[in-house]
PDB file of all heavy atoms in Angstrom:
ATOM      1  N   PHE A 528      26.353 -16.736  -6.364  1.00 97.00           N
ATOM      2  CA  PHE A 528      27.375 -15.701  -6.286  1.00 97.00           C
ATOM      3  C   PHE A 528      26.731 -14.319  -6.146  1.00 97.00           C
ATOM      4  O   PHE A 528      27.159 -13.507  -5.319  1.00 97.00           O
ATOM      5  CB  PHE A 528      28.275 -15.754  -7.515  1.00 97.00           C
ATOM      6  CG  PHE A 528      29.366 -14.732  -7.502  1.00 97.00           C
ATOM      7  CD1 PHE A 528      30.423 -14.829  -6.610  1.00 97.00           C
ATOM      8  CD2 PHE A 528      29.338 -13.659  -8.373  1.00 97.00           C
ATOM      9  CE1 PHE A 528      31.428 -13.879  -6.586  1.00 97.00           C
ATOM     10  CE2 PHE A 528      30.340 -12.708  -8.362  1.00 97.00           C
ATOM     11  CZ  PHE A 528      31.382 -12.816  -7.465  1.00 97.00           C
ATOM     12  N   ILE A 529      25.699 -14.056  -6.926  1.00 97.00           N
ATOM     13  CA  ILE A 529      24.996 -12.765  -6.850  1.00 97.00           C
ATOM     14  C   ILE A 529      24.384 -12.577  -5.466  1.00 97.00           C
ATOM     15  O   ILE A 529      24.486 -11.503  -4.869  1.00 97.00           O
ATOM     16  CB  ILE A 529      23.925 -12.661  -7.959  1.00 97.00           C
ATOM     17  CG1 ILE A 529      24.602 -12.521  -9.323  1.00 97.00           C
ATOM     18  CG2 ILE A 529      22.981 -11.483  -7.707  1.00 97.00           C
ATOM     19  CD1 ILE A 529      23.668 -12.627 -10.509  1.00 97.00           C
ATOM     20  N   GLN A 530      23.767 -13.629  -4.921  1.00 97.00           N
ATOM     21  CA  GLN A 530      23.184 -13.544  -3.583  1.00 97.00           C
ATOM     22  C   GLN A 530      24.259 -13.269  -2.536  1.00 97.00           C
ATOM     23  O   GLN A 530      24.054 -12.473  -1.608  1.00 97.00           O
ATOM     24  CB  GLN A 530      22.442 -14.835  -3.240  1.00 97.00           C
ATOM     25  CG  GLN A 530      21.166 -15.026  -4.018  1.00 97.00           C
ATOM     26  CD  GLN A 530      20.529 -16.394  -3.756  1.00 97.00           C
ATOM     27  OE1 GLN A 530      21.074 -17.204  -3.007  1.00 97.00           O
ATOM     28  NE2 GLN A 530      19.397 -16.649  -4.387  1.00 97.00           N
ATOM     29  N   LEU A 531      25.393 -13.921  -2.675  1.00 97.00           N
ATOM     30  CA  LEU A 531      26.494 -13.719  -1.739  1.00 97.00           C
ATOM     31  C   LEU A 531      26.992 -12.277  -1.784  1.00 97.00           C
ATOM     32  O   LEU A 531      27.190 -11.641  -0.745  1.00 97.00           O
ATOM     33  CB  LEU A 531      27.637 -14.682  -2.052  1.00 97.00           C
ATOM     34  CG  LEU A 531      28.890 -14.557  -1.203  1.00 97.00           C
ATOM     35  CD1 LEU A 531      28.585 -14.900   0.249  1.00 97.00           C
ATOM     36  CD2 LEU A 531      29.979 -15.452  -1.745  1.00 97.00           C
ATOM     37  N   VAL A 532      27.173 -11.752  -2.981  1.00 96.00           N
ATOM     38  CA  VAL A 532      27.635 -10.373  -3.133  1.00 96.00           C
ATOM     39  C   VAL A 532      26.611  -9.404  -2.546  1.00 96.00           C
ATOM     40  O   VAL A 532      26.975  -8.450  -1.844  1.00 96.00           O
ATOM     41  CB  VAL A 532      27.920 -10.050  -4.618  1.00 96.00           C
ATOM     42  CG1 VAL A 532      28.135  -8.565  -4.826  1.00 96.00           C
ATOM     43  CG2 VAL A 532      29.126 -10.831  -5.108  1.00 96.00           C
ATOM     44  N   GLN A 533      25.328  -9.641  -2.772  1.00 96.00           N
ATOM     45  CA  GLN A 533      24.291  -8.776  -2.219  1.00 96.00           C
ATOM     46  C   GLN A 533      24.283  -8.836  -0.693  1.00 96.00           C
ATOM     47  O   GLN A 533      24.136  -7.819  -0.019  1.00 96.00           O
ATOM     48  CB  GLN A 533      22.916  -9.172  -2.766  1.00 96.00           C
ATOM     49  CG  GLN A 533      22.723  -8.791  -4.216  1.00 96.00           C
ATOM     50  CD  GLN A 533      21.410  -9.306  -4.792  1.00 96.00           C
ATOM     51  OE1 GLN A 533      20.809 -10.236  -4.268  1.00 96.00           O
ATOM     52  NE2 GLN A 533      20.991  -8.700  -5.893  1.00 96.00           N
ATOM     53  N   ARG A 534      24.473 -10.013  -0.135  1.00 96.00           N
ATOM     54  CA  ARG A 534      24.503 -10.171   1.320  1.00 96.00           C
ATOM     55  C   ARG A 534      25.702  -9.436   1.914  1.00 96.00           C
ATOM     56  O   ARG A 534      25.587  -8.750   2.931  1.00 96.00           O
ATOM     57  CB  ARG A 534      24.561 -11.648   1.673  1.00 96.00           C
ATOM     58  CG  ARG A 534      24.246 -11.922   3.123  1.00 96.00           C
ATOM     59  CD  ARG A 534      24.136 -13.394   3.423  1.00 96.00           C
ATOM     60  NE  ARG A 534      23.163 -14.041   2.555  1.00 96.00           N
ATOM     61  CZ  ARG A 534      23.252 -15.304   2.134  1.00 96.00           C
ATOM     62  NH1 ARG A 534      24.274 -16.058   2.510  1.00 96.00           N
ATOM     63  NH2 ARG A 534      22.331 -15.829   1.362  1.00 96.00           N
ATOM     64  N   ILE A 535      26.854  -9.564   1.269  1.00 96.00           N
ATOM     65  CA  ILE A 535      28.058  -8.862   1.737  1.00 96.00           C
ATOM     66  C   ILE A 535      27.848  -7.350   1.663  1.00 96.00           C
ATOM     67  O   ILE A 535      28.197  -6.620   2.592  1.00 96.00           O
ATOM     68  CB  ILE A 535      29.293  -9.297   0.918  1.00 96.00           C
ATOM     69  CG1 ILE A 535      29.660 -10.739   1.245  1.00 96.00           C
ATOM     70  CG2 ILE A 535      30.473  -8.361   1.172  1.00 96.00           C
ATOM     71  CD1 ILE A 535      30.706 -11.335   0.329  1.00 96.00           C
ATOM     72  N   ASN A 536      27.259  -6.895   0.563  1.00 94.00           N
ATOM     73  CA  ASN A 536      26.996  -5.469   0.383  1.00 94.00           C
ATOM     74  C   ASN A 536      26.042  -4.947   1.459  1.00 94.00           C
ATOM     75  O   ASN A 536      26.269  -3.881   2.042  1.00 94.00           O
ATOM     76  CB  ASN A 536      26.414  -5.212  -1.006  1.00 94.00           C
ATOM     77  CG  ASN A 536      26.345  -3.746  -1.338  1.00 94.00           C
ATOM     78  OD1 ASN A 536      27.161  -2.964  -0.884  1.00 94.00           O
ATOM     79  ND2 ASN A 536      25.354  -3.371  -2.123  1.00 94.00           N
ATOM     80  N   THR A 537      24.996  -5.702   1.754  1.00 94.00           N
ATOM     81  CA  THR A 537      24.032  -5.301   2.774  1.00 94.00           C
ATOM     82  C   THR A 537      24.694  -5.205   4.140  1.00 94.00           C
ATOM     83  O   THR A 537      24.487  -4.239   4.884  1.00 94.00           O
ATOM     84  CB  THR A 537      22.850  -6.299   2.833  1.00 94.00           C
ATOM     85  OG1 THR A 537      22.229  -6.349   1.544  1.00 94.00           O
ATOM     86  CG2 THR A 537      21.833  -5.888   3.869  1.00 94.00           C
ATOM     87  N   ARG A 538      25.506  -6.192   4.486  1.00 94.00           N
ATOM     88  CA  ARG A 538      26.210  -6.169   5.780  1.00 94.00           C
ATOM     89  C   ARG A 538      27.155  -4.977   5.864  1.00 94.00           C
ATOM     90  O   ARG A 538      27.247  -4.313   6.896  1.00 94.00           O
ATOM     91  CB  ARG A 538      26.995  -7.454   5.986  1.00 94.00           C
ATOM     92  CG  ARG A 538      26.142  -8.631   6.338  1.00 94.00           C
ATOM     93  CD  ARG A 538      26.987  -9.850   6.581  1.00 94.00           C
ATOM     94  NE  ARG A 538      26.154 -11.030   6.780  1.00 94.00           N
ATOM     95  CZ  ARG A 538      26.615 -12.261   6.814  1.00 94.00           C
ATOM     96  NH1 ARG A 538      27.910 -12.492   6.672  1.00 94.00           N
ATOM     97  NH2 ARG A 538      25.797 -13.266   7.000  1.00 94.00           N
ATOM     98  N   ALA A 539      27.861  -4.712   4.777  1.00 94.00           N
ATOM     99  CA  ALA A 539      28.801  -3.590   4.768  1.00 94.00           C
ATOM    100  C   ALA A 539      28.052  -2.265   4.945  1.00 94.00           C
ATOM    101  O   ALA A 539      28.491  -1.396   5.703  1.00 94.00           O
ATOM    102  CB  ALA A 539      29.601  -3.586   3.470  1.00 94.00           C
ATOM    103  N   GLU A 540      26.930  -2.109   4.255  1.00 92.00           N
ATOM    104  CA  GLU A 540      26.143  -0.880   4.383  1.00 92.00           C
ATOM    105  C   GLU A 540      25.640  -0.710   5.813  1.00 92.00           C
ATOM    106  O   GLU A 540      25.704   0.381   6.373  1.00 92.00           O
ATOM    107  CB  GLU A 540      24.964  -0.899   3.418  1.00 92.00           C
ATOM    108  CG  GLU A 540      25.343  -0.645   1.986  1.00 92.00           C
ATOM    109  CD  GLU A 540      24.152  -0.707   1.037  1.00 92.00           C
ATOM    110  OE1 GLU A 540      23.010  -0.887   1.514  1.00 92.00           O
ATOM    111  OE2 GLU A 540      24.360  -0.577  -0.171  1.00 92.00           O
ATOM    112  N   LYS A 541      25.144  -1.791   6.408  1.00 92.00           N
ATOM    113  CA  LYS A 541      24.649  -1.711   7.783  1.00 92.00           C
ATOM    114  C   LYS A 541      25.766  -1.336   8.747  1.00 92.00           C
ATOM    115  O   LYS A 541      25.571  -0.548   9.669  1.00 92.00           O
ATOM    116  CB  LYS A 541      24.016  -3.041   8.207  1.00 92.00           C
ATOM    117  CG  LYS A 541      22.668  -3.288   7.589  1.00 92.00           C
ATOM    118  CD  LYS A 541      22.076  -4.601   8.065  1.00 92.00           C
ATOM    119  CE  LYS A 541      20.742  -4.870   7.399  1.00 92.00           C
ATOM    120  NZ  LYS A 541      20.167  -6.155   7.821  1.00 92.00           N
ATOM    121  N   LYS A 542      26.941  -1.903   8.523  1.00 92.00           N
ATOM    122  CA  LYS A 542      28.074  -1.605   9.394  1.00 92.00           C
ATOM    123  C   LYS A 542      28.477  -0.136   9.274  1.00 92.00           C
ATOM    124  O   LYS A 542      28.681   0.539  10.285  1.00 92.00           O
ATOM    125  CB  LYS A 542      29.263  -2.501   9.048  1.00 92.00           C
ATOM    126  CG  LYS A 542      30.438  -2.314   9.961  1.00 92.00           C
ATOM    127  CD  LYS A 542      31.552  -3.279   9.668  1.00 92.00           C
ATOM    128  CE  LYS A 542      32.712  -3.061  10.620  1.00 92.00           C
ATOM    129  NZ  LYS A 542      33.791  -4.003  10.398  1.00 92.00           N
ATOM    130  N   VAL A 543      28.564   0.358   8.048  1.00 90.00           N
ATOM    131  CA  VAL A 543      28.942   1.752   7.831  1.00 90.00           C
ATOM    132  C   VAL A 543      27.885   2.681   8.427  1.00 90.00           C
ATOM    133  O   VAL A 543      28.215   3.662   9.103  1.00 90.00           O
ATOM    134  CB  VAL A 543      29.139   2.038   6.322  1.00 90.00           C
ATOM    135  CG1 VAL A 543      29.241   3.525   6.054  1.00 90.00           C
ATOM    136  CG2 VAL A 543      30.380   1.332   5.817  1.00 90.00           C
ATOM    137  N   GLU A 544      26.607   2.379   8.199  1.00 88.00           N
ATOM    138  CA  GLU A 544      25.543   3.207   8.748  1.00 88.00           C
ATOM    139  C   GLU A 544      25.570   3.185  10.277  1.00 88.00           C
ATOM    140  O   GLU A 544      25.356   4.208  10.926  1.00 88.00           O
ATOM    141  CB  GLU A 544      24.185   2.737   8.237  1.00 88.00           C
ATOM    142  CG  GLU A 544      23.957   3.069   6.779  1.00 88.00           C
ATOM    143  CD  GLU A 544      22.694   2.422   6.215  1.00 88.00           C
ATOM    144  OE1 GLU A 544      21.983   1.714   6.965  1.00 88.00           O
ATOM    145  OE2 GLU A 544      22.422   2.630   5.022  1.00 88.00           O
ATOM    146  N   GLY A 545      25.842   2.026  10.847  1.00 86.00           N
ATOM    147  CA  GLY A 545      25.922   1.923  12.297  1.00 86.00           C
ATOM    148  C   GLY A 545      27.053   2.751  12.868  1.00 86.00           C
ATOM    149  O   GLY A 545      26.883   3.446  13.881  1.00 86.00           O
ATOM    150  N   GLU A 546      28.208   2.689  12.234  1.00 86.00           N
ATOM    151  CA  GLU A 546      29.353   3.483  12.688  1.00 86.00           C
ATOM    152  C   GLU A 546      29.062   4.974  12.555  1.00 86.00           C
ATOM    153  O   GLU A 546      29.386   5.766  13.438  1.00 86.00           O
ATOM    154  CB  GLU A 546      30.606   3.124  11.877  1.00 86.00           C
ATOM    155  CG  GLU A 546      31.136   1.738  12.137  1.00 86.00           C
ATOM    156  CD  GLU A 546      31.665   1.561  13.545  1.00 86.00           C
ATOM    157  OE1 GLU A 546      32.292   2.505  14.074  1.00 86.00           O
ATOM    158  OE2 GLU A 546      31.442   0.485  14.120  1.00 86.00           O
ATOM    159  N   PHE A 547      28.438   5.348  11.446  1.00 82.00           N
ATOM    160  CA  PHE A 547      28.100   6.753  11.217  1.00 82.00           C
ATOM    161  C   PHE A 547      27.108   7.232  12.276  1.00 82.00           C
ATOM    162  O   PHE A 547      27.259   8.321  12.832  1.00 82.00           O
ATOM    163  CB  PHE A 547      27.511   6.921   9.810  1.00 82.00           C
ATOM    164  CG  PHE A 547      27.238   8.342   9.433  1.00 82.00           C
ATOM    165  CD1 PHE A 547      28.276   9.222   9.200  1.00 82.00           C
ATOM    166  CD2 PHE A 547      25.940   8.798   9.302  1.00 82.00           C
ATOM    167  CE1 PHE A 547      28.033  10.534   8.857  1.00 82.00           C
ATOM    168  CE2 PHE A 547      25.684  10.107   8.954  1.00 82.00           C
ATOM    169  CZ  PHE A 547      26.725  10.979   8.730  1.00 82.00           C
ATOM    170  N   THR A 548      26.120   6.404  12.579  1.00 80.00           N
ATOM    171  CA  THR A 548      25.128   6.753  13.590  1.00 80.00           C
ATOM    172  C   THR A 548      25.776   6.901  14.957  1.00 80.00           C
ATOM    173  O   THR A 548      25.470   7.837  15.700  1.00 80.00           O
ATOM    174  CB  THR A 548      24.020   5.678  13.651  1.00 80.00           C
ATOM    175  OG1 THR A 548      23.430   5.555  12.356  1.00 80.00           O
ATOM    176  CG2 THR A 548      22.953   6.040  14.649  1.00 80.00           C
ATOM    177  N   LYS A 549      26.688   5.984  15.299  1.00 80.00           N
ATOM    178  CA  LYS A 549      27.395   6.091  16.575  1.00 80.00           C
ATOM    179  C   LYS A 549      28.186   7.391  16.656  1.00 80.00           C
ATOM    180  O   LYS A 549      28.184   8.059  17.684  1.00 80.00           O
ATOM    181  CB  LYS A 549      28.348   4.906  16.762  1.00 80.00           C
ATOM    182  CG  LYS A 549      27.721   3.727  17.439  1.00 80.00           C
ATOM    183  CD  LYS A 549      28.786   2.778  17.953  1.00 80.00           C
ATOM    184  CE  LYS A 549      29.245   1.882  16.837  1.00 80.00           C
ATOM    185  NZ  LYS A 549      30.220   0.874  17.239  1.00 80.00           N
ATOM    186  N   ASP A 550      28.860   7.738  15.568  1.00 75.00           N
ATOM    187  CA  ASP A 550      29.648   8.971  15.550  1.00 75.00           C
ATOM    188  C   ASP A 550      28.751  10.190  15.718  1.00 75.00           C
ATOM    189  O   ASP A 550      29.095  11.132  16.427  1.00 75.00           O
ATOM    190  CB  ASP A 550      30.445   9.086  14.255  1.00 75.00           C
ATOM    191  CG  ASP A 550      31.616   8.129  14.198  1.00 75.00           C
ATOM    192  OD1 ASP A 550      31.978   7.581  15.265  1.00 75.00           O
ATOM    193  OD2 ASP A 550      32.147   7.916  13.101  1.00 75.00           O
ATOM    194  N   LEU A 551      27.594  10.187  15.063  1.00 71.00           N
ATOM    195  CA  LEU A 551      26.678  11.319  15.192  1.00 71.00           C
ATOM    196  C   LEU A 551      26.135  11.438  16.605  1.00 71.00           C
ATOM    197  O   LEU A 551      25.967  12.541  17.121  1.00 71.00           O
ATOM    198  CB  LEU A 551      25.509  11.183  14.204  1.00 71.00           C
ATOM    199  CG  LEU A 551      25.781  11.617  12.782  1.00 71.00           C
ATOM    200  CD1 LEU A 551      24.540  11.416  11.931  1.00 71.00           C
ATOM    201  CD2 LEU A 551      26.218  13.064  12.711  1.00 71.00           C
ATOM    202  N   LYS A 552      25.858  10.310  17.241  1.00 72.00           N
ATOM    203  CA  LYS A 552      25.331  10.354  18.605  1.00 72.00           C
ATOM    204  C   LYS A 552      26.368  10.905  19.576  1.00 72.00           C
ATOM    205  O   LYS A 552      26.018  11.554  20.557  1.00 72.00           O
ATOM    206  CB  LYS A 552      24.891   8.950  19.048  1.00 72.00           C
ATOM    207  CG  LYS A 552      23.605   8.515  18.396  1.00 72.00           C
ATOM    208  CD  LYS A 552      23.200   7.131  18.871  1.00 72.00           C
ATOM    209  CE  LYS A 552      21.934   6.696  18.163  1.00 72.00           C
ATOM    210  NZ  LYS A 552      21.549   5.326  18.551  1.00 72.00           N
ATOM    211  N   ARG A 553      27.648  10.630  19.326  1.00 72.00           N
ATOM    212  CA  ARG A 553      28.708  11.114  20.210  1.00 72.00           C
ATOM    213  C   ARG A 553      28.981  12.600  20.031  1.00 72.00           C
ATOM    214  O   ARG A 553      29.519  13.257  20.902  1.00 72.00           O
ATOM    215  CB  ARG A 553      29.995  10.339  19.957  1.00 72.00           C
ATOM    216  CG  ARG A 553      29.990   8.963  20.551  1.00 72.00           C
ATOM    217  CD  ARG A 553      31.372   8.395  20.473  1.00 72.00           C
ATOM    218  NE  ARG A 553      31.798   8.349  19.075  1.00 72.00           N
ATOM    219  CZ  ARG A 553      32.480   7.374  18.531  1.00 72.00           C
ATOM    220  NH1 ARG A 553      32.856   6.352  19.264  1.00 72.00           N
ATOM    221  NH2 ARG A 553      32.828   7.399  17.270  1.00 72.00           N
ATOM    222  N   LEU A 554      28.646  13.121  18.867  1.00 67.00           N
ATOM    223  CA  LEU A 554      28.952  14.504  18.542  1.00 67.00           C
ATOM    224  C   LEU A 554      27.966  15.443  19.231  1.00 67.00           C
ATOM    225  O   LEU A 554      26.765  15.340  19.040  1.00 67.00           O
ATOM    226  CB  LEU A 554      28.889  14.688  17.021  1.00 67.00           C
ATOM    227  CG  LEU A 554      29.294  16.019  16.453  1.00 67.00           C
ATOM    228  CD1 LEU A 554      30.767  16.272  16.770  1.00 67.00           C
ATOM    229  CD2 LEU A 554      29.093  16.018  14.955  1.00 67.00           C
TER     230      LEU A 554
END
């Protein structure tokens, strides 16, 4: 369960960082 939560958290962080990076590149 802990590994699953950590994996979900990592994916979510990568997704948010990716979206933020895309937004910065467009600006």
Side-chain angles (χ1 to χ4, degrees):
F528 181 70
I529 290 171
Q530 289 174 358
L531 177 64
V532 169
Q533 288 174 340
R534 195 173 305 148
I535 290 170
N536 190 31
T537 302
R538 285 182 186 169
E540 285 178 3
K541 286 181 182 179
K542 184 176 180 178
V543 168
E544 288 172 0
E546 292 294 322
F547 185 70
T548 303
K549 271 197 277 183
D550 287 345
L551 279 180
K552 286 181 182 177
R553 284 191 301 220
L554 185 63

